[in-house]
Amino acid sequence: DAGKDKKEEEKVSAAKEETEKEKKQEEKNSASKDIGKDKKEEKSSESKKQAEKDIRGEGKKENDKKEERKASAVKKSKADEKDKSQAEAEKVEEKQEAKAGAGSSPSKPSSSSSADQAKDDEASSIFDELIEKVKNNDAEVTEVNVNNSDCINNETLVRFTEALEFNTVVKVFALANTRADDHVAFAIAIMLKSNKMLTSINLDSNHITGKGILAIFRALLQNNTLTELRFHNQRHICGGKTEMEIAKLLKENTTLLKLGYHFELAGPRMTVTNLLSRNMDRQRQKRLQEQKLAQERGEKKDLLEVPKPGALPKGSPKASPQPSPKASPKSSPKKGGAPTMPPPPPPPLAPPLMINENLKNSLSPATQRKLGDRALPVQEKNSRDQLLAAIRSSNLKQLKKASAGPGGAH
């Protein structure tokens, strides 16, 4: 019994030890879990801090990059300005050298750009004299024709238009096939608003778009002298909208007579042709009115002019060979003063008898007038004429009644 009790006690103590061991292990596991959680939380906080640091670093880097870009852009702009100033200085120097050393041999250009600039300067110098003549209203320059010139540029064309703005001599401005663009077209539009002498402009085979052409047509609303405008074969197609606008703008213009352009749409083409024919009719009516006024003025001058003594009228180049029937007594010149001549007598009126005879002749039939003027030739009488003559000569008594015929007619 004592041995059994000992064994039981040993078992109970062993079970207690095991339960204690399990409790210790559980405590250890819970402690380790708490430590892992703390470590994980610390790690997550550290990762967040690092992410924030990285974001801040990236923002700083982006700001630094933007500042660097701005600085580089400023440097580039400064460099471009320096290059432009250097290029302008070089151009001025080249012009001065060309003017000063015209007789000396020109130096070879170092690069292709300098060669192009020299060519442009030479081309502009070719037209300098003509531009000056146009500015100064030279009477000999009545036409500016720069068609098909390879050495001309848009700057010189704009200079030409500026010179023509207040010119009163030039009537024709031709710049076909000169690579003119919208800048030249806008300059021409400005020039047409103030110029009152140009009658023809030729812009064929250039690089003008619809905007430039519409600007010219808008300027024609303030111009009353241009009669011909040509802009065939442009590099850019005008299109239907510009053609419709051209037709609308031409309705208010009354002087344009010739338009050198082939319309693609039938509607604007027909309206423009009708408007041009209307302008032609108006111009013709103006010319007729001017001619009538000139004739009336000339007749009034002839009536108001008093013939001078001893002077012949304008109509008779030679004096009449027949002398006047009576010499005026006051025709002899006096010593003291100028000779005085009486006014010429009025022409004698025709006698009234002649007028009456003329009226009778005009009112009488043609056969009587011929008989009165001259006798008709005697003609051979036919049988019918002989019968009629016999009837006229016979008396009524000698005539016999004819028998009634089948129709009842006598």
Side-chain angles (χ1 to χ4, degrees), residues 252-283:
E252 300 179 8
N253 182 273
T254 58
T255 55
L256 196 68
L257 304 177
K258 295 179 183 178
L259 187 65
Y261 176 70
H262 179 71
F263 286 89
E264 294 181 357
L265 298 178
R269 190 189 311 139
M270 294 297 293
T271 54
V272 168
T273 51
N274 292 330
L275 292 170
L276 293 177
S277 62
R278 178 202 68 182
N279 294 345
M280 292 281 282
D281 293 336
R282 287 185 179 179
Q283 293 292 328

Side-chain angles (χ1 to χ4, degrees), residues 323-329:
S324 59
K326 291 182 181 180
S328 60

Side-chain angles (χ1 to χ4, degrees), residues 198-219:
L198 272 177
T199 58
S200 176
I201 294 176
N202 188 356
L203 295 168
D204 289 341
S205 303
N206 282 311
H207 302 167
I208 302 172
T209 62
K211 293 180 181 178
I213 290 165
L214 286 176
I216 292 170
F217 275 97
R218 289 191 188 96

Side-chain angles (χ1 to χ4, degrees), residues 2 99 131 136 182 218 261 315 326 333:
K99 288 180 181 178
I131 292 169
N136 297 327
D182 284 342
R218 289 191 188 96
Y261 176 70
K326 291 182 181 180

